[in-house]
Amino acid sequence: MKSRIINTTSLLVGMALLILAACTPGGNKNSGAISGDLAQRSFVAPGEHDEFYGFISGGFNGQLSVIGLPSGRVFKNIPVFSVDAEKAYGFNEETKALLNTSFGFVPWGDSHHPDISQTNGKLDGRWVFINENNTPRIARIDLTTFETVEIIEIPNSAGNHSSSYVTDNTEYVVAGTRFAVPVPQRDMSINDYKGNFKGAMSFLKVDQESGEMNIEFQILMPGFDYDKAHPGRGKSHGWFFFTTYNTEEANSLMEVNASQNDKDFVAAINWKKAEEYLAQGNFTTMATNYAHNLYDEKTQTATTTWEKEVKILDPAKCPGLVYFMPMPKSPHGCDVDPTGEYIVGSGKLSANVTVHSFDKMIKAIEEEKFDGDAYGIPILNFEDVLAGVVVQPGLGPLHTEFDNKGNAYTTFFISSEVVKWKLGTWEVIDRKPTYYSVGHLMIPGGNSQEPFGKYLVAMNKITKDRYLPTGPEVTQSAQLYDISGEKMELLLDFPTLGEPHYAAGIPADLIKPNSKKIYSLEENEHPFVTKSEKDAKVVRDGNTVHVYMTMIRSHFAPDNIEGIKEGDKVYFHVTNLEQDYDVPHGISIIGANTSELLIMPGQTETFTWTPKGVGVWPFYCTDFCSALHQEMQGYVRVSDRNSDIELSWSLDGE
């Protein structure tokens, strides 16, 4: 592999100075001003609905925010990889299993890249998939309920960053590793990294009816870092593309040692060829252990299945499976245009944006125009796959999305701007500043065959002077641009939750009609459901007590319980009897160290309580539900461990 050593230290110093200049408080204030006319375009009048849903990852908060576009209003924070006290996610007995991993119960995650399910290359609004970077996992959110219904752990992986992206018909969701590690994991000197560490690329097959995922196969790649990914579209359907950096296979002082080579790679993986090899039995099976967590809407409970093996493909033994396309220099973003012809790799340390051609790639493969190989994987000649270059469009290119008019939009982290350029001619059409240090961007449908080229959302890492200060840390932000005309126009700044990485957007009309309003009480098959007040009861089993409780505006049944003993483990199985839209109820009791429950109409949820002392302890509704919300309360009497007081319960003294 050819390499060229550059003065990396000088380059990094220059980049740092540019960042400081772009982020200086008070700078560019006038250019960031939004006129009343522009602001009016993002205004959604009271009682009216936004045109688009936006799903923005929370990064280090492990969640997924739901916003409206163009208003920027936050509608919901969907708990995914982190516990959430508002919904008791990860605290109640029904959702704890969703956070099981081979490392145990992990109550936190680092969520990065949401992607929406597709049919025929178009968004269909059934599910959102999102990756967890730290403890490698992929989650699926059901867009009828806006709740997490499945999380699958990814074995043999570390830093699950180049995910989760879906193919044209949601055949696969991909999960690519950022960090190379020993596979299988074992005690090994870090100095033996080169040639021994591997990167696992996981392909999760999706059931077209249920959405349920399973790891169909993994490809063991050389020990580079695999940063971002994108499926082929249209003509390139059947391929997946991954950017790599650290083709040097360095393991120390990465900012210098992983930036030596003049070019790294885009890895092109032919997943249809992988299916052929699987059908031929040309794979090995590796023993492993990983959690597959699935929520059942009928029982309203998640369970964990422990999977014990994965199918492994070795690209050196599977000709035609993987090819490398050289890409300057430490590329980050990997993006494919709606036609599937152009593959954009944004080299963070490159002065240009380089675009490869899918048609040229296929021709080069057919004509075997190779420039050597890396660990048995052919390297295609750079000139033979090159489609074009956007010359010096900005500093620090990261990510690219596309509109429906043949234009591309790339973010530049160092020069803090979004640049619009033309596919095919590579000419820069427009540029607009962001405030500040933009990372990802999102155009609704911009990573599908059918983008909705009206709005662009830029997600910024630094805000400094844009909002009121809140101590040493200030909010990160998103900015909304109108891209319907020749020139981009900044419409709106709005703060975000956590650290937004990527986002996905979709017309509201593709989701809104299917949104669930209630859970049918008749269809509730929870093992501890109580479907009417007359069936409410309290049952003792040794030192364990089960309370079968109902709630309805504005009382609990039972509302008084006696005979609980100090040290008992009490399970409150609480069913919301309401069958009316938007009438959840909550419940909490003094001393419960799990969480309050927030229970939707027709749902059953469970929390545990272990009383530490004798007394009479109140419980109450935590979600304002009616004019008599304050009266929605009850008591539990706790007696000494040796007490002979029998269990009793009542409603209205009965």
Coordinates of all heavy atoms in Angstrom, one line a residue, residues 486-569:
E486 N -32.7 28.1 -5.4 CA -31.3 28.0 -5.8 C -30.4 28.2 -4.6 O -29.4 27.5 -4.5 CB -31.0 28.9 -7.0 CG -29.7 28.8 -7.6 CD -29.5 27.6 -8.5 OE1 -30.5 26.8 -8.7 OE2 -28.4 27.4 -9.0
K487 N -30.7 29.1 -3.8 CA -29.9 29.5 -2.6 C -30.5 29.0 -1.4 O -31.7 29.1 -1.2 CB -29.7 31.0 -2.6 CG -29.0 31.6 -3.8 CD -27.6 31.1 -3.9 CE -26.9 31.8 -5.1 NZ -25.5 31.3 -5.2
M488 N -29.7 28.5 -0.4 CA -30.2 28.1 0.9 C -30.5 29.3 1.7 O -29.8 30.3 1.6 CB -29.1 27.2 1.6 CG -28.8 25.9 0.9 SD -27.5 25.0 1.7 CE -26.0 25.9 1.2
E489 N -31.5 29.2 2.6 CA -31.9 30.2 3.5 C -32.1 29.7 4.9 O -32.8 28.8 5.1 CB -33.2 30.9 3.0 CG -33.1 31.6 1.6 CD -34.4 32.2 1.2 OE1 -35.3 31.5 0.9 OE2 -34.5 33.5 1.2
L490 N -31.4 30.3 5.8 CA -31.5 29.9 7.2 C -32.8 30.4 7.8 O -33.1 31.6 7.8 CB -30.3 30.5 8.0 CG -30.3 30.2 9.6 CD1 -30.3 28.7 9.9 CD2 -29.2 30.9 10.2
L491 N -33.6 29.5 8.3 CA -35.0 29.8 8.8 C -35.0 29.8 10.4 O -35.7 30.6 10.9 CB -36.0 28.8 8.3 CG -36.2 28.7 6.8 CD1 -37.3 27.7 6.5 CD2 -36.5 30.0 6.2
L492 N -34.3 28.9 11.0 CA -34.5 28.7 12.4 C -33.3 28.1 13.1 O -32.6 27.2 12.6 CB -35.7 27.7 12.5 CG -36.2 27.3 13.9 CD1 -36.9 28.5 14.6 CD2 -37.2 26.2 13.9
D493 N -33.1 28.5 14.3 CA -32.2 27.8 15.3 C -33.1 27.2 16.3 O -34.0 27.8 16.8 CB -31.3 28.8 16.1 CG -30.1 29.3 15.3 OD1 -30.2 29.5 14.1 OD2 -29.1 29.5 16.0
F494 N -32.7 25.9 16.7 CA -33.4 25.4 17.9 C -32.5 24.4 18.6 O -31.7 23.8 18.0 CB -34.7 24.7 17.5 CG -34.6 23.5 16.5 CD1 -34.4 22.2 16.9 CD2 -34.6 23.8 15.1 CE1 -34.3 21.2 16.0 CE2 -34.5 22.8 14.2 CZ -34.4 21.5 14.6
P495 N -32.6 24.4 20.0 CA -31.7 23.6 20.8 C -32.1 22.1 20.7 O -33.2 21.8 20.4 CB -31.9 24.1 22.2 CG -33.3 24.7 22.2 CD -33.5 25.3 20.8
T496 N -31.2 21.3 21.0 CA -31.4 19.8 20.9 C -31.1 19.2 22.2 O -30.5 19.8 23.1 CB -30.5 19.2 19.8 OG1 -29.2 19.5 20.0 CG2 -30.9 19.7 18.4
L497 N -31.5 17.9 22.4 CA -31.3 17.2 23.6 C -30.0 16.3 23.4 O -29.9 15.6 22.3 CB -32.5 16.3 23.9 CG -33.8 17.0 24.2 CD1 -34.9 16.0 24.4 CD2 -33.7 18.0 25.3
G498 N -29.2 16.2 24.4 CA -28.0 15.4 24.3 C -27.0 15.9 23.2 O -27.0 17.1 23.0
E499 N -26.3 15.0 22.6 CA -25.4 15.4 21.5 C -26.0 14.8 20.2 O -25.8 13.6 19.9 CB -24.0 14.9 21.7 CG -23.0 15.3 20.6 CD -21.8 14.5 20.6 OE1 -21.7 13.5 21.4 OE2 -20.9 14.8 19.8
P500 N -26.6 15.6 19.3 CA -27.1 15.0 18.1 C -26.0 14.6 17.2 O -25.1 15.3 17.0 CB -27.9 16.2 17.5 CG -27.3 17.4 18.1 CD -26.8 17.0 19.4
H501 N -26.1 13.4 16.6 CA -25.2 12.9 15.6 C -26.0 13.0 14.3 O -26.0 14.0 13.6 CB -24.7 11.6 15.9 CG -23.7 11.5 17.0 ND1 -22.3 11.6 16.8 CD2 -23.9 11.5 18.4 CE1 -21.7 11.6 18.0 NE2 -22.6 11.6 18.9
Y502 N -26.7 11.9 13.9 CA -27.4 12.0 12.7 C -28.9 12.1 13.0 O -29.3 12.1 14.2 CB -27.2 10.7 11.9 CG -27.7 10.6 10.5 CD1 -27.6 11.7 9.7 CD2 -28.4 9.5 10.1 CE1 -28.1 11.6 8.4 CE2 -28.8 9.4 8.8 CZ -28.7 10.5 7.9 OH -29.2 10.4 6.7
A503 N -29.7 12.4 12.0 CA -31.1 12.5 12.1 C -31.8 11.9 10.9 O -31.1 11.6 9.9 CB -31.6 13.9 12.3
A504 N -33.1 11.6 11.0 CA -33.8 11.1 9.9 C -35.2 11.8 9.8 O -35.7 12.1 10.9 CB -34.1 9.6 10.0
G505 N -35.6 12.2 8.7 CA -36.9 12.9 8.5 C -37.8 12.3 7.5 O -37.4 11.6 6.6
I506 N -39.1 12.5 7.8 CA -40.1 11.8 6.9 C -41.4 12.7 7.0 O -41.7 13.3 8.0 CB -40.4 10.4 7.5 CG1 -41.4 9.6 6.6 CG2 -40.9 10.4 8.9 CD1 -41.5 8.1 6.9
P507 N -42.1 12.7 5.8 CA -43.4 13.4 5.9 C -44.3 12.9 6.9 O -44.5 11.7 7.1 CB -44.0 13.2 4.5 CG -42.7 13.0 3.6 CD -41.8 12.2 4.5
A508 N -45.0 13.8 7.7 CA -45.8 13.4 8.8 C -47.0 12.5 8.3 O -47.4 11.6 9.0 CB -46.4 14.6 9.5
D509 N -47.4 12.7 7.1 CA -48.6 11.9 6.5 C -48.3 10.5 6.4 O -49.2 9.7 6.2 CB -49.0 12.5 5.2 CG -49.7 13.9 5.4 OD1 -50.1 14.2 6.5 OD2 -49.9 14.6 4.4
L510 N -47.0 10.1 6.4 CA -46.6 8.7 6.3 C -46.7 7.9 7.6 O -46.6 6.7 7.7 CB -45.2 8.5 5.6 CG -45.1 8.9 4.1 CD1 -43.7 8.8 3.7 CD2 -46.1 8.1 3.3
I511 N -46.7 8.7 8.7 CA -46.7 8.1 10.0 C -48.0 8.4 10.8 O -48.6 7.5 11.4 CB -45.5 8.6 10.8 CG1 -44.2 8.1 10.2 CG2 -45.6 8.2 12.3 CD1 -43.0 8.6 10.9
K512 N -48.5 9.7 10.7 CA -49.6 10.1 11.5 C -50.8 9.3 11.5 O -51.4 9.0 12.5 CB -49.9 11.6 11.2 CG -50.9 12.3 12.0 CD -50.9 13.8 11.8 CE -51.2 14.1 10.3 NZ -51.4 15.6 10.1
P513 N -51.3 8.8 10.3 CA -52.5 8.0 10.3 C -52.4 6.7 11.0 O -53.5 6.1 11.3 CB -52.8 7.8 8.8 CG -52.0 8.9 8.1 CD -50.8 9.1 8.9
N514 N -51.2 6.2 11.1 CA -51.0 4.8 11.7 C -50.7 4.9 13.2 O -50.5 3.9 13.9 CB -49.9 4.1 11.0 CG -50.2 4.0 9.5 OD1 -51.3 3.7 9.1 ND2 -49.2 4.2 8.7
S515 N -50.6 6.1 13.8 CA -50.2 6.2 15.2 C -51.3 5.6 16.1 O -52.5 5.9 16.0 CB -50.0 7.7 15.5 OG -49.5 7.8 16.8
K516 N -50.8 4.7 17.0 CA -51.7 4.1 17.9 C -52.2 5.0 19.0 O -51.5 5.9 19.5 CB -51.0 2.9 18.6 CG -51.9 2.1 19.6 CD -51.1 1.0 20.3 CE -50.8 -0.2 19.4 NZ -52.0 -1.0 19.1
K517 N -53.5 5.0 19.3 CA -54.1 5.9 20.2 C -54.3 5.2 21.6 O -54.2 5.9 22.6 CB -55.4 6.4 19.7 CG -55.2 7.4 18.5 CD -56.6 8.0 18.0 CE -56.4 9.2 17.2 NZ -55.4 9.0 16.0
I518 N -54.7 4.0 21.6 CA -54.8 3.2 22.9 C -54.3 1.8 22.7 O -54.2 1.3 21.5 CB -56.3 3.2 23.4 CG1 -57.2 2.4 22.4 CG2 -56.8 4.6 23.7 CD1 -58.5 2.1 22.8
Y519 N -54.0 1.1 23.8 CA -53.8 -0.3 23.7 C -55.2 -1.0 24.1 O -55.8 -0.6 25.1 CB -52.8 -0.8 24.7 CG -51.4 -0.3 24.4 CD1 -50.9 1.0 24.7 CD2 -50.5 -1.1 23.7 CE1 -49.7 1.4 24.4 CE2 -49.2 -0.7 23.3 CZ -48.8 0.6 23.7 OH -47.6 1.0 23.4
S520 N -55.6 -1.9 23.3 CA -56.9 -2.5 23.5 C -56.9 -3.4 24.8 O -56.0 -4.3 25.0 CB -57.3 -3.4 22.4 OG -58.4 -4.2 22.7
L521 N -57.7 -3.0 25.8 CA -57.8 -3.8 27.0 C -58.2 -5.2 26.8 O -57.7 -6.1 27.4 CB -58.8 -3.1 28.0 CG -58.7 -3.5 29.4 CD1 -57.4 -3.3 30.0 CD2 -59.8 -2.8 30.2
E522 N -59.0 -5.5 25.8 CA -59.5 -6.8 25.5 C -58.3 -7.7 25.0 O -58.3 -8.9 25.2 CB -60.6 -6.8 24.4 CG -61.9 -6.3 24.9 CD -63.0 -6.3 23.9 OE1 -62.7 -6.8 22.7 OE2 -64.1 -6.0 24.2
E523 N -57.4 -7.0 24.3 CA -56.2 -7.8 23.7 C -55.0 -7.8 24.6 O -54.0 -8.4 24.3 CB -55.8 -7.1 22.4 CG -56.9 -7.2 21.3 CD -56.6 -6.4 20.1 OE1 -55.4 -5.9 20.0 OE2 -57.4 -6.3 19.2
N524 N -55.1 -7.3 25.8 CA -54.0 -7.3 26.8 C -53.8 -8.7 27.3 O -54.7 -9.2 28.0 CB -54.3 -6.3 27.9 CG -53.2 -6.1 28.9 OD1 -52.4 -7.0 29.1 ND2 -53.2 -5.0 29.5
E525 N -52.7 -9.3 27.0 CA -52.4 -10.6 27.5 C -51.2 -10.6 28.5 O -50.5 -11.6 28.7 CB -52.0 -11.5 26.3 CG -53.2 -11.7 25.3 CD -52.8 -12.6 24.1 OE1 -51.8 -13.3 24.2 OE2 -53.6 -12.7 23.2
H526 N -51.0 -9.5 29.1 CA -50.0 -9.4 30.2 C -50.3 -10.5 31.3 O -51.5 -10.6 31.6 CB -50.0 -8.0 30.8 CG -48.9 -7.7 31.7 ND1 -48.7 -8.3 33.0 CD2 -47.8 -6.9 31.6 CE1 -47.6 -7.9 33.5 NE2 -47.0 -7.0 32.7
P527 N -49.3 -11.2 31.7 CA -49.6 -12.3 32.7 C -50.2 -11.8 34.0 O -50.8 -12.6 34.8 CB -48.3 -12.9 32.9 CG -47.3 -12.0 32.4 CD -47.9 -11.2 31.4
F528 N -50.1 -10.5 34.3 CA -50.6 -10.0 35.6 C -51.7 -8.9 35.3 O -51.9 -8.0 36.2 CB -49.5 -9.4 36.5 CG -48.5 -10.5 36.9 CD1 -47.3 -10.6 36.3 CD2 -48.8 -11.3 38.0 CE1 -46.4 -11.6 36.7 CE2 -47.9 -12.2 38.4 CZ -46.7 -12.4 37.7
V529 N -52.3 -8.9 34.2 CA -53.4 -7.9 33.9 C -54.6 -8.0 34.8 O -54.9 -9.1 35.2 CB -53.8 -8.0 32.4 CG1 -54.5 -9.3 32.1 CG2 -54.7 -6.8 32.0
T530 N -55.2 -6.9 35.1 CA -56.4 -6.9 35.9 C -57.4 -6.0 35.1 O -57.2 -4.8 35.0 CB -56.2 -6.2 37.3 OG1 -55.2 -6.9 38.0 CG2 -57.5 -6.4 38.1
K531 N -58.4 -6.7 34.5 CA -59.2 -6.0 33.5 C -60.5 -5.3 34.1 O -61.2 -4.6 33.3 CB -59.6 -6.9 32.4 CG -58.4 -7.4 31.5 CD -58.8 -8.2 30.3 CE -57.6 -8.6 29.5 NZ -58.0 -9.4 28.3
S532 N -60.7 -5.5 35.3 CA -61.8 -4.8 36.0 C -61.5 -4.6 37.4 O -60.8 -5.4 38.0 CB -63.2 -5.6 35.8 OG -63.1 -6.8 36.5
E533 N -62.2 -3.6 38.1 CA -62.0 -3.4 39.5 C -62.3 -4.6 40.4 O -61.7 -4.8 41.4 CB -62.7 -2.1 39.9 CG -62.2 -0.8 39.4 CD -62.9 0.4 39.9 OE1 -63.8 0.2 40.8 OE2 -62.6 1.5 39.5
K534 N -63.4 -5.3 39.9 CA -63.8 -6.5 40.8 C -62.7 -7.5 40.9 O -62.8 -8.4 41.8 CB -65.1 -7.0 40.2 CG -65.0 -7.7 38.9 CD -66.4 -8.2 38.4 CE -66.3 -8.8 37.0 NZ -65.4 -9.9 36.9
D535 N -61.8 -7.5 39.9 CA -60.7 -8.6 39.9 C -59.5 -8.1 40.7 O -58.5 -8.8 40.7 CB -60.4 -8.9 38.5 CG -61.5 -9.6 37.8 OD1 -62.3 -10.4 38.4 OD2 -61.7 -9.3 36.5
A536 N -59.5 -6.9 41.2 CA -58.3 -6.4 41.9 C -58.1 -7.2 43.2 O -59.1 -7.6 43.8 CB -58.5 -4.9 42.3
K537 N -56.9 -7.5 43.5 CA -56.6 -8.4 44.7 C -55.1 -8.2 45.1 O -54.3 -7.6 44.4 CB -56.9 -9.8 44.3 CG -56.0 -10.4 43.1 CD -56.5 -11.8 42.7 CE -55.7 -12.2 41.5 NZ -56.1 -13.6 41.1
V538 N -54.8 -8.8 46.2 CA -53.5 -8.8 46.8 C -53.2 -10.2 47.2 O -54.0 -10.9 47.9 CB -53.3 -7.9 48.0 CG1 -51.8 -7.8 48.4 CG2 -53.7 -6.4 47.6
V539 N -52.0 -10.8 46.7 CA -51.7 -12.2 46.9 C -50.3 -12.3 47.5 O -49.4 -11.7 47.0 CB -51.8 -13.0 45.6 CG1 -51.4 -14.5 45.8 CG2 -53.2 -12.9 45.0
R540 N -50.3 -13.1 48.6 CA -48.9 -13.3 49.3 C -48.4 -14.7 48.8 O -49.1 -15.7 48.8 CB -49.1 -13.3 50.8 CG -47.7 -13.6 51.5 CD -47.9 -13.5 53.0 NE -48.0 -12.0 53.4 CZ -47.0 -11.2 53.5 NH1 -45.8 -11.6 53.2 NH2 -47.2 -10.0 53.9
D541 N -47.1 -14.7 48.6 CA -46.4 -16.0 48.3 C -45.1 -15.9 49.1 O -44.0 -15.4 48.6 CB -46.1 -16.1 46.8 CG -45.4 -17.4 46.5 OD1 -45.3 -18.3 47.4 OD2 -44.9 -17.6 45.3
G542 N -45.1 -16.4 50.3 CA -44.0 -16.2 51.2 C -43.7 -14.8 51.5 O -44.6 -14.1 52.0
N543 N -42.5 -14.3 51.2 CA -42.1 -12.9 51.5 C -42.4 -12.0 50.2 O -42.0 -10.9 50.2 CB -40.6 -12.8 51.9 CG -40.4 -13.4 53.2 OD1 -41.3 -13.5 54.1 ND2 -39.2 -13.8 53.5
T544 N -43.0 -12.6 49.2 CA -43.3 -11.9 48.0 C -44.8 -11.6 48.0 O -45.6 -12.5 48.3 CB -42.9 -12.7 46.8 OG1 -41.5 -12.9 46.8 CG2 -43.3 -11.9 45.5
V545 N -45.2 -10.4 47.6 CA -46.6 -10.0 47.6 C -46.9 -9.4 46.2 O -46.1 -8.6 45.7 CB -47.0 -9.0 48.6 CG1 -48.4 -8.5 48.5 CG2 -46.7 -9.5 50.0
H546 N -48.0 -9.9 45.6 CA -48.4 -9.3 44.3 C -49.7 -8.6 44.4 O -50.7 -9.1 44.9 CB -48.6 -10.5 43.3 CG -47.3 -11.2 42.9 ND1 -46.5 -10.8 41.9 CD2 -46.8 -12.3 43.4 CE1 -45.5 -11.6 41.8 NE2 -45.6 -12.6 42.7
V547 N -49.6 -7.3 44.0 CA -50.8 -6.4 44.1 C -51.3 -6.3 42.6 O -50.6 -5.8 41.7 CB -50.4 -5.0 44.6 CG1 -51.7 -4.1 44.6 CG2 -49.8 -5.1 46.0
Y548 N -52.5 -6.8 42.4 CA -53.2 -6.6 41.1 C -54.1 -5.4 41.2 O -55.2 -5.5 41.8 CB -54.0 -7.9 40.8 CG -53.2 -9.2 40.7 CD1 -52.7 -9.8 41.8 CD2 -53.0 -9.7 39.4 CE1 -51.9 -11.0 41.6 CE2 -52.3 -10.9 39.2 CZ -51.7 -11.5 40.4 OH -51.0 -12.7 40.2
M549 N -53.7 -4.3 40.6 CA -54.3 -3.0 40.8 C -54.8 -2.5 39.5 O -54.2 -2.7 38.4 CB -53.3 -2.1 41.4 CG -53.8 -0.7 41.7 SD -52.5 0.3 42.5 CE -52.7 -0.3 44.2
T550 N -55.9 -1.7 39.5 CA -56.4 -0.9 38.4 C -56.4 0.6 38.7 O -56.3 1.0 39.8 CB -57.8 -1.3 38.0 OG1 -58.7 -1.0 39.1 CG2 -57.9 -2.8 37.7
M551 N -56.4 1.3 37.6 CA -56.4 2.8 37.7 C -57.4 3.3 36.7 O -57.4 2.8 35.5 CB -55.0 3.4 37.6 CG -54.3 2.9 36.4 SD -52.6 3.4 36.1 CE -52.0 4.2 37.5
I552 N -58.2 4.3 37.1 CA -59.1 5.0 36.2 C -59.4 6.3 36.8 O -59.3 6.5 38.0 CB -60.4 4.1 35.9 CG1 -61.1 4.6 34.7 CG2 -61.3 4.1 37.1 CD1 -62.2 3.6 34.2
R553 N -59.8 7.3 36.0 CA -60.1 8.6 36.5 C -61.2 8.5 37.6 O -62.3 8.2 37.2 CB -60.5 9.6 35.4 CG -59.4 10.1 34.5 CD -59.8 10.8 33.3 NE -60.4 9.8 32.4 CZ -60.8 10.1 31.1 NH1 -60.7 11.4 30.7 NH2 -61.3 9.2 30.3
S554 N -61.0 8.8 38.9 CA -59.7 9.3 39.4 C -59.4 8.5 40.7 O -59.4 9.1 41.8 CB -59.8 10.8 39.7 OG -59.9 11.5 38.6
H555 N -59.3 7.2 40.6 CA -59.0 6.4 41.8 C -58.2 5.1 41.4 O -58.3 4.7 40.2 CB -60.3 6.0 42.6 CG -61.2 5.2 41.8 ND1 -62.3 5.7 41.1 CD2 -61.3 3.8 41.6 CE1 -63.0 4.7 40.5 NE2 -62.4 3.6 40.8
F556 N -57.6 4.5 42.4 CA -57.0 3.2 42.3 C -57.9 2.1 42.9 O -58.7 2.4 43.8 CB -55.7 3.1 43.0 CG -54.6 4.1 42.5 CD1 -54.5 5.3 43.1 CD2 -53.8 3.7 41.5 CE1 -53.5 6.2 42.6 CE2 -52.8 4.6 41.0 CZ -52.7 5.8 41.6
A557 N -57.8 0.9 42.4 CA -58.5 -0.2 43.1 C -57.5 -1.4 43.2 O -57.0 -1.8 42.2 CB -59.7 -0.6 42.3
P558 N -57.1 -1.7 44.5 CA -57.6 -1.2 45.7 C -56.9 0.2 46.0 O -55.8 0.4 45.5 CB -57.2 -2.2 46.7 CG -56.0 -2.9 46.1 CD -56.2 -2.9 44.6
D559 N -57.5 0.9 46.9 CA -56.8 2.2 47.3 C -56.3 2.1 48.8 O -55.6 3.0 49.2 CB -57.7 3.4 47.1 CG -58.9 3.4 47.9 OD1 -59.1 2.4 48.7 OD2 -59.7 4.3 47.8
N560 N -56.6 1.0 49.5 CA -56.1 0.8 50.8 C -55.6 -0.7 51.0 O -56.4 -1.6 50.6 CB -57.1 1.1 51.9 CG -57.3 2.6 52.1 OD1 -56.4 3.4 52.2 ND2 -58.6 3.0 52.0
I561 N -54.4 -0.9 51.4 CA -53.9 -2.2 51.5 C -53.2 -2.4 52.9 O -52.5 -1.5 53.4 CB -52.8 -2.5 50.5 CG1 -53.4 -2.3 49.0 CG2 -52.2 -3.9 50.6 CD1 -52.4 -2.4 47.9
E562 N -53.6 -3.5 53.6 CA -53.0 -3.7 54.9 C -52.4 -5.2 54.9 O -52.8 -6.0 54.1 CB -54.0 -3.6 56.1 CG -54.5 -2.1 56.1 CD -55.3 -1.8 57.4 OE1 -55.1 -2.6 58.4 OE2 -56.0 -0.8 57.5
G563 N -51.5 -5.5 55.9 CA -51.0 -6.8 56.0 C -49.6 -7.0 55.3 O -49.1 -8.0 55.3
I564 N -49.1 -5.9 54.7 CA -47.7 -5.9 54.1 C -46.8 -5.9 55.3 O -47.0 -5.2 56.3 CB -47.5 -4.7 53.2 CG1 -48.5 -4.7 52.1 CG2 -46.1 -4.8 52.6 CD1 -48.5 -5.9 51.2
K565 N -45.7 -6.6 55.2 CA -44.7 -6.7 56.3 C -43.4 -6.1 55.9 O -43.0 -6.1 54.7 CB -44.5 -8.2 56.7 CG -45.8 -8.8 57.2 CD -45.6 -10.3 57.7 CE -46.9 -10.9 58.1 NZ -46.7 -12.3 58.5
E566 N -42.7 -5.6 56.9 CA -41.4 -5.0 56.7 C -40.5 -6.0 56.0 O -40.4 -7.2 56.4 CB -40.8 -4.5 58.0 CG -39.5 -3.7 57.9 CD -39.1 -3.3 59.2 OE1 -39.6 -3.8 60.3 OE2 -38.1 -2.4 59.3
G567 N -39.8 -5.6 54.9 CA -38.9 -6.5 54.2 C -39.6 -7.3 53.1 O -38.9 -8.0 52.3
D568 N -40.9 -7.3 53.0 CA -41.6 -8.0 51.8 C -41.1 -7.4 50.5 O -40.8 -6.2 50.4 CB -43.1 -7.8 51.9 CG -43.8 -8.7 52.9 OD1 -43.1 -9.7 53.3 OD2 -45.0 -8.5 53.2
K569 N -41.1 -8.2 49.5 CA -40.9 -7.6 48.1 C -42.3 -7.6 47.5 O -42.9 -8.6 47.2 CB -40.0 -8.5 47.3 CG -39.6 -7.9 45.9 CD -38.5 -8.7 45.2 CE -38.1 -8.0 43.9 NZ -37.0 -8.7 43.2

